[in-house]
Amino acid sequence: MRKIITTANDSKDSLYVLIKSLSKSEKRQFKLYVGRLDGNADSKYLQLFNLLDKMNSYNESEIFKNNIVKKQQLSNLKAHLYKQILISLRLSPAHQNIRVQIREQLDFATVLYQKGLYQQSLKLLEKAKHMAIENEEKNVAYEIVELEKVIETQYITRSMSTRAEELAHEAKVLSQQNLMTSKLSNLSIQLYGLMLKTGYVRSDEEKREITAFFTQSMPKYKMSTLGFREKLWLYKAYLWYSFLIQDFLSCFKYAMRYVELFEENPAMIARNPVFYLKGNHYLLESLFYLKHHTKFKEVLESLEMRLQTTDFPTSDNLEILEFLYVYSHKLNLKFMVGDFSTSDGLIEKIEKYLKQNGQRMDEHHIMVFYYKIASLYFGNGQNKKCIEYLGKIIHNKSLKMREDLMCFSRILNLVAHYEAGMDYHLETLLKSTYKFLIKMDDLHEVQKEMIKFLRNLGDIFPSELKNEFKKLRKRLEVYEEDPYERRAFLYLDILSWLDSRIESRPVAEIIKEKAMVLNR
C-alpha cells in the first residue's frame, strides 16, 4: 500500500497528487515510456517528474531553485507532464480494461478510415462492435455503428442496400437501449443525491413527493427487452427509492436482484467490479437495517472471499472501495451482535488507512467512519473517546451532506457527555444542539424527548433517576416502529442505552441479548 502524505495546498495541485498516487511499477513504466522517445532522457518534464516525486510536499520555489523552468513556463510544462503520465498509464497493462481496448480499436479504425483504407477500417469496427455489445458497452457500440454508416457511404459494395438496413436497425436498437439506460441512471443518481442531502423521508408529505417523483420519472419498460446494463440501473433506482422511504425489505429484495444479476453473468464482475462492490454494499446495508445478522455475516464473508480471488481486478479506486465497504460493514456487524470491544485492532486499521489515503476518499464517508467509531466507543463505555470522534464531525464546517448524520452526532454527543459525568458542559451543549436542530428543520419526537430529559436531569434526585429512565423508555418505545421516527434508532440504539441504565448493566450486554433473541 502506498503512503501518500499531502497538505491542504498539495491536494490543490493535480500533477503532484497524480505523481504521488503512482506505484513503483507505474513510475518505472513512465520512465521507460519517456526513454523510448529520442532525446527525452534529459527533458525538462522528466526532470520535473523526478523532482516532484522526491518532494514531501508541493513547493514551487524548490522547482525554480533547481532551474528546471522559468516561472512563466511552469504551467505549460506541468500540463505537458500531466498528459504524458496519463498516456503512459493508458499504455500500462494494468489499465487495459475492456472499455479502453474497445476505444483503442475505434481509434485505430478512425485512423485507417482517414487514410482511405475503408475495408480495413470496417473489419476493425465490426470486431470492436461485437466486443462492445458483448460487454454491454452500448454507448461506444452506437458510436461504432455511426462511423460504419459514414464509411459505407464511401466504400460502396453490391451488398450496400441490405447493409444500410442492417446498420439503420442496429443504430435504432442501440439508441433505444442507451436512452433507457440514460433515463434509469438519471433517476438513480437523482434519488442518490436526495439520500445524501436529506436522508430518509420525514413525513407522509415527503413520502408522497418522493413517490410521485419516482413514479413520474420511471420510464415505461418491458423486462424481457432489458439488457444487463438497463437492469442494473433499474434495480439501483428501486434501491434508492426504497432506502428513501425506509422500506428496507424492498431494499433487500432489489439489492439481492442486483447481486444475482452479476452472479448470473459472472464475466461482468471483472468487467464492472465497482458496480459489483456497490451491489454487495447495498445488500449488506439492507440486512443491517433488517437486523438479520446471520445472513449479513454470510454475505460479508462471501464478499471478502471473492475479493481475495486472483481473477478479481485490482486498482487504486477498487482498493479504496474495498476498504470502505468491508471495514464499514465489519463495524456494522459488531453493532448487530453487541460486540463493542475496541481491543481487536479494527479501529487502528481504519485510522491508519484513513491517515494514509483519506485525501483520496470523499469527506462524507470519512465522517460516517468517525460516527461508527464513536458509537463503538460509546457502547464500550469509553465516553471521552466517543466525544473525541463526534467532535471531528460536529466541528467540520465544510460538511454539507447528510443532515441526519450531523443531527444524531449531536444527540449522541449529549448522551456521551452525560455518561462521562461532564455535566458542566451539558447546558451549553443543549442550547447549541437545540439551535442546530431547529435550523436544520429536523427536530423529531425522539430528539425532543431526549433533549427534554437531559435538560431536566439537574432537577431529578438520584433516587428518582431509575424511575425517570423507565418513564422516558415508555415514551420512546412507541416510536420504534414509527416509519418517520424509527430512523433515530438506526443511528443510536437509545432504548438499549435506557435498558442498560435501568438494569445497571453494560449496553453491550443488552444489545447482545437482543441479537440472540432475534437469532436471524
Side-chain angles (χ1 to χ4, degrees):
M1 190 185 294
R2 294 185 300 285
K3 187 172 181 179
I4 305 172
I5 304 170
T6 60
T7 66
N9 289 331
D10 299 335
S11 62
K12 292 176 184 176
D13 191 85
S14 302
L15 176 62
Y16 179 80
V17 173
L18 176 62
I19 291 171
K20 288 298 178 182
S21 74
L22 300 177
S23 65
K24 286 182 180 178
S25 62
E26 286 169 341
K27 289 174 186 175
R28 186 168 58 250
Q29 159 123 0
F30 175 69
K31 290 175 183 178
L32 286 170
Y33 162 72
V34 172
R36 291 190 196 110
L37 307 174
D38 291 337
N40 274 337
D42 299 312
S43 67
K44 289 184 182 294
Y45 72 83
L46 184 57
Q47 290 175 50
L48 180 59
F49 175 87
N50 290 328
L51 180 62
L52 291 175
D53 186 30
K54 290 173 186 173
M55 284 183 180
N56 289 324
S57 61
Y58 182 71
N59 187 341
E60 284 197 354
S61 60
E62 188 70 22
I63 297 170
F64 301 134
K65 198 186 292 182
N66 278 265
N67 295 317
I68 293 174
V69 64
K70 292 177 182 177
K71 191 171 184 178
Q72 60 267 32
Q73 298 171 324
L74 180 61
S75 61
N76 287 337
L77 184 62
K78 284 171 66 178
H80 183 62
L81 174 56
Y82 193 92
K83 181 182 176 182
Q84 293 303 316
I85 293 171
L86 290 181
I87 293 171
S88 172
L89 287 172
R90 188 179 184 277
L91 295 171
S92 169
H95 298 284
Q96 285 292 311
N97 61 34
I98 197 72
R99 194 172 290 111
V100 171
Q101 289 171 23
I102 295 166
R103 283 277 171 197
E104 187 177 61
Q105 292 297 309
L106 177 55
D107 290 344
F108 290 159
T110 304
V111 170
L112 290 170
Y113 160 64
Q114 288 171 339
K115 286 189 67 62
L117 301 172
Y118 302 141
Q119 193 169 13
Q120 291 182 42
S121 179
L122 287 169
K123 281 183 180 178
L124 266 187
L125 288 173
E126 188 67 24
K127 180 183 174 185
K129 182 171 64 182
H130 284 305
M131 280 175 66
I133 292 170
E134 187 183 328
N135 290 282
E136 291 286 327
E137 295 294 335
K138 292 172 185 173
N139 278 318
V140 70
Y142 181 77
E143 282 185 54
I144 291 167
V145 172
E146 288 299 303
L147 182 55
E148 281 184 303
K149 288 196 288 186
V150 170
I151 297 172
E152 288 284 6
T153 59
Q154 296 177 49
Y155 182 71
I156 299 170
T157 66
R158 290 180 182 178
S159 63
M160 183 55 202
S161 58
T162 56
R163 185 72 179 132
E165 284 298 319
E166 285 173 19
L167 290 173
H169 177 70
E170 283 180 349
K172 182 182 177 182
V173 171
L174 287 168
S175 177
Q176 288 171 342
Q177 290 173 332
N178 286 333
L179 181 61
M180 177 62 72
T181 301
S182 179
K183 286 179 177 179
L184 290 170
S185 62
N186 285 346
L187 176 56
S188 175
I189 202 74
Q190 285 173 298
L191 292 167
Y192 177 63
L194 284 170
M195 185 69 182
L196 286 181
K197 181 69 179 78
T198 60
Y200 307 109
V201 294
R202 291 169 277 190
S203 64
D204 282 337
E205 185 185 355
E206 282 191 12
K207 184 178 179 180
R208 282 194 296 271
E209 286 175 4
I210 292 292
T211 301
F213 168 73
F214 179 75
T215 307
Q216 290 163 14
S217 304
M218 176 61 71
K220 291 180 181 179
Y221 62 89
K222 283 185 180 178
M223 206 67 185
S224 58
T225 64
L226 300 184
F228 176 88
R229 191 64 60 121
E230 296 93 89
K231 286 179 183 175
L232 193 63
W233 284 111
L234 177 68
Y235 297 154
K236 284 179 83 169
Y238 271 103
L239 253 174
W240 285 116
Y241 169 65
S242 303
F243 271 124
L244 277 164
I245 64 169
Q246 299 187 72
D247 184 351
F248 299 127
L249 201 55
S250 182
C251 290
F252 170 72
K253 172 185 169 183
Y254 285 102
M256 272 300 294
R257 288 186 182 179
Y258 186 132
V259 173
E260 285 170 354
L261 184 64
F262 276 99
E263 300 299 343
E264 291 162 6
N265 300 272
M268 288 297 172
I269 296 174
R271 292 167 189 167
N272 300 276
V274 170
F275 287 156
Y276 176 73
L277 284 172
K278 285 183 180 291
N280 278 275
H281 166 62
Y282 300 142
L283 180 55
L284 287 164
E285 194 94 332
S286 59
L287 288 167
F288 173 67
Y289 290 140
L290 291 170
K291 299 179 181 178
H292 201 315
H293 70 267
T294 49
K295 180 67 175 175
F296 182 99
K297 191 176 180 182
E298 179 190 314
V299 172
L300 182 57
E301 287 175 353
S302 174
L303 176 61
E304 287 191 90
M305 285 174 63
R306 172 75 75 174
L307 296 180
Q308 288 165 11
T309 58
T310 53
D311 59 344
F312 195 85
T314 57
S315 72
D316 292 346
N317 183 42
L318 288 173
E319 178 204 299
I320 291 170
L321 290 176
E322 286 169 24
F323 167 81
L324 184 65
Y325 297 147
V326 170
Y327 280 88
S328 177
H329 290 301
K330 279 180 182 287
L331 288 171
N332 283 347
L333 181 59
K334 287 173 76 73
F335 299 140
M336 293 172 85
V337 299
D339 175 14
F340 290 90
S341 60
T342 57
S343 57
D344 56 4
L346 185 60
I347 292 175
E348 286 75 14
K349 283 181 184 176
I350 293 169
E351 277 282 23
K352 184 180 178 183
Y353 191 89
L354 292 179
K355 189 176 180 181
Q356 292 178 348
N357 302 280
Q359 78 289 336
R360 294 194 289 155
M361 295 170 67
D362 68 83
E363 206 168 18
H364 159 73
H365 285 118
I366 294 171
M367 294 302 120
V368 171
F369 267 120
Y370 287 158
Y371 185 83
K372 289 181 179 181
I373 292 171
S375 299
L376 201 64
Y377 277 125
F378 177 76
N380 200 42
Q382 294 174 264
N383 294 296
K384 288 186 178 177
K385 290 293 288 181
C386 170
I387 292 164
E388 178 189 326
Y389 277 87
L390 291 172
K392 295 173 187 283
I393 304 169
I394 294 166
H395 303 304
N396 187 330
K397 304 300 180 187
S398 63
L399 194 66
K400 303 294 183 187
M401 294 182 181
R402 286 298 290 271
E403 293 173 359
D404 47 0
L405 176 66
M406 295 289 284
C407 293
F408 286 104
S409 295
R410 289 173 181 267
I411 294 288
L412 181 55
N413 189 45
L414 282 173
V415 179
H417 271 82
Y418 166 72
E419 284 285 290
M422 297 164 70
D423 297 1
Y424 50 91
H425 283 310
L426 217 52
E427 190 60 36
T428 307
L429 284 172
L430 281 163
K431 285 178 182 175
S432 66
T433 302
Y434 243 132
K435 188 179 176 182
F436 178 84
L437 292 176
I438 291 167
K439 185 181 174 184
M440 301 293 272
D441 190 29
D442 203 15
L443 200 57
H444 283 204
E445 296 307 314
V446 172
Q447 297 158 332
K448 286 178 186 175
E449 290 289 355
M450 285 298 297
I451 292 173
K452 192 194 301 177
F453 175 79
L454 292 166
R455 174 170 275 178
N456 295 330
L457 271 176
D459 302 325
I460 301 170
F461 290 109
S463 59
E464 299 172 351
L465 199 53
K466 189 169 285 190
N467 196 42
E468 290 301 318
F469 278 127
K470 288 179 181 177
K471 287 179 185 176
L472 176 61
R473 196 199 191 285
K474 196 169 183 179
R475 292 197 300 272
L476 290 180
E477 65 186 15
V478 299
Y479 299 120
E480 193 175 16
E481 297 305 319
D482 186 292
Y484 308 119
E485 294 292 340
R486 65 182 177 184
R487 69 195 182 102
F489 305 101
L490 299 176
Y491 291 92
L492 172 62
D493 194 344
I494 300 166
L495 295 179
S496 292
W497 172 69
L498 287 169
D499 287 338
S500 77
R501 301 299 298 182
I502 294 164
E503 300 171 28
S504 301
R505 293 196 293 149
V507 69
E509 198 176 298
I510 303 286
I511 294 173
K512 195 173 287 185
E513 284 179 5
K514 286 184 179 179
M516 288 176 70
V517 170
L518 283 170
N519 194 29
R520 292 199 295 181

